[in-house]
Amino acid sequence: MDRGAVVRITDVAALAGVSPSTVSKALNDTGSLRESTRARVREAAERLGFVPDASARSLSARRSFTVGLLSTDSAGRFSLPVVLGAENALVGGELSALLATARHDPVREQHHVRALVARRVDGIIVTGRTTEPREPIKVPMPVVYAFAPSADAADASVVPDDALGMRLLVEHLVGLGRRRIAYVGGRVEQAASLVRYETLVAELAARDVELVGRPLYGDWSEQWGRRAVDQILAGAPGAGSGDLPVDAIVFASDQLARGGCDRLRERGLRVPDDVAVTGYDDWDVMSLASRPPLTTVDMQLERLGQRAAELLIAAIEGEPAHGVERLAPRLVVRASTLGDG
């Protein structure tokens, strides 16, 4: 066959010695064919460089072989790695992804949902910027929620296991001999702040270690991290006195922790010699740029997106999951607790 010529299904059929309908069944894994016949057809298609027509494949299987990726924000800090992980898994499953970003606008989200339904996608992965439960979308195809879980317990959701992440941090700090630990959270009404605090208190109590003072809540900014350090050290002796109220501060995010490290240094305190510091999220823009680099928790967001895609593919194939699946994070140890040595 001339190089550059269009290879047709009849060419594959002729080379394999079968009918065009048998080629279609073999390449689409349908019909009752011997495995040897399927193998012969695939070999012929590969030799000829045959590329099946996508629209014909869709009609044959009654599927579009596309999946919607709906992000409620603009694919930012948390949703972008989730989307990347999901896309990687979908490509491995021979599915294409259509990305739609709602930018935290309910009207825009509904527009994207209608557009995805009109395109007859096989399923939708919904992600967001926080781990707050969200209202489910109403569509006639499988949906899996990633990072931001559905408020409906019957839906399939994959979220980070924040409780396990905090247990890993406590085990690390207590193992280093830290016994006077304070907590700085973000917004008090958000699940990430509350779950991390409640787990911290329970894990410290199990080890006969008490939290110093009350939990301090603010926003998720470096500025609040700095102000929180001043509140924790209010009335404390100066640097070098050896009589500080805390020997570790657990911040609920890397952004808070970076601001906290800066303020501790400005007050003449050494991290971690005087006060150990931990963050959360492993956002390298913050965790690696901090002075010193932060010990933190990696929520493994790409793996979370991959797992959501795996659940969606299973649902498309008739095996849906239900409820919330919590994905294990990992502890990342750096100089803010171990020092430069």
Side-chain angles (χ1 to χ4, degrees):
M1 182 170 292
D2 294 337
R3 182 169 297 182
V6 176
V7 180
R8 304 183 184 282
I9 195 169
T10 53
D11 300 321
V12 178
L15 181 59
V18 298
S19 68
S21 64
T22 298
V23 172
S24 178
K25 292 175 182 177
L27 296 182
N28 287 312
D29 285 325
T30 59
S32 300
L33 300 178
R34 293 189 179 92
E35 188 56 39
S36 59
T37 303
R38 293 187 193 275
R40 189 166 73 253
V41 170
R42 289 170 184 153
E43 181 181 358
E46 185 175 349
R47 285 178 57 187
L48 294 174
F50 175 69
V51 178
D53 180 75
S55 60
R57 182 185 179 213
S58 297
L59 288 172
S60 172
R62 296 190 177 184
R63 287 178 51 185
S64 67
F65 293 94
T66 59
V67 165
L69 295 176
L70 176 62
S71 171
T72 57
D73 66 359
S74 54
R77 158 69 188 104
F78 297 112
S79 57
L80 180 57
V82 172
V83 166
L84 292 176
E87 186 182 31
N88 288 339
L90 292 171
V91 169
E94 298 185 351
L95 297 170
S96 297
L98 298 174
L99 175 61
T101 57
R103 304 177 195 175
H104 219 56
D105 180 348
V107 175
R108 187 183 295 267
E109 179 179 302
Q110 285 305 309
H111 165 75
H112 287 315
V113 169
R114 288 193 296 269
L116 292 172
V117 171
R119 287 176 176 265
R120 298 185 178 181
V121 295
D122 294 332
I124 300 175
I125 295 173
V126 179
T127 186
R129 61 190 303 176
T130 74
T131 55
E132 301 301 306
R134 53 152 295 148
E135 286 300 310
I137 60 175
K138 305 298 182 183
V139 294
M141 65 270 297
V143 180
V144 174
Y145 298 82
F147 194 70
S150 170
D152 187 341
D155 290 334
S157 301
V158 187
V159 301
D161 192 339
D162 274 355
L164 176 56
M166 190 55 71
R167 286 197 292 272
L168 294 173
L169 281 177
V170 170
E171 182 178 333
H172 174 65
L173 288 172
V174 174
L176 293 174
R178 306 291 172 161
R179 307 289 295 181
R180 304 186 309 281
I181 300 173
Y183 176 76
V184 178
R187 295 179 181 173
V188 66
E189 73 277 8
Q190 289 189 322
S193 282
L194 295 174
V195 170
R196 293 169 192 177
Y197 167 68
E198 291 169 356
T199 305
L200 173 66
V201 171
E203 292 299 313
L204 290 179
R207 293 166 172 80
D208 294 325
V209 178
E210 290 188 13
L211 187 75
V212 174
R214 59 183 178 85
L216 299 177
Y217 294 108
D219 54 30
W220 297 99
S221 68
E222 291 181 67
Q223 183 180 13
W224 167 235
R226 295 167 62 89
R227 295 205 315 268
V229 165
D230 285 337
Q231 291 187 32
I232 291 169
L233 299 180
S241 68
D243 192 23
L244 295 170
V246 296
D247 58 16
I249 303 176
V250 173
F251 291 89
S253 78
D254 293 338
Q255 197 162 356
L256 292 169
R258 180 178 175 180
C261 282
D262 286 348
R263 187 57 182 147
L264 287 166
R265 188 172 59 254
E266 290 167 359
R267 292 186 61 137
L269 297 173
R270 300 164 301 166
V271 178
D273 300 71
D274 297 315
V275 181
V277 169
T278 63
Y280 206 104
D281 302 332
D282 198 25
W283 183 14
D284 56 7
V285 171
M286 293 291 164
S287 61
L288 296 180
S290 177
R291 298 169 56 196
L294 295 171
T295 290
T296 184
V297 172
D298 176 7
M299 293 185 287
Q300 304 207 81
L301 296 179
E302 285 200 30
R303 175 69 186 99
L304 190 147
Q306 178 184 338
R307 180 58 182 155
E310 292 169 353
L311 291 178
L312 185 64
I313 291 171
I316 291 170
E317 294 175 350
E319 298 180 2
H322 302 281
V324 177
E325 180 175 323
R326 302 188 187 280
L327 189 74
R330 67 184 184 94
L331 179 68
V332 181
V333 178
R334 298 193 180 100
S336 69
T337 57
L338 287 186
D340 295 330

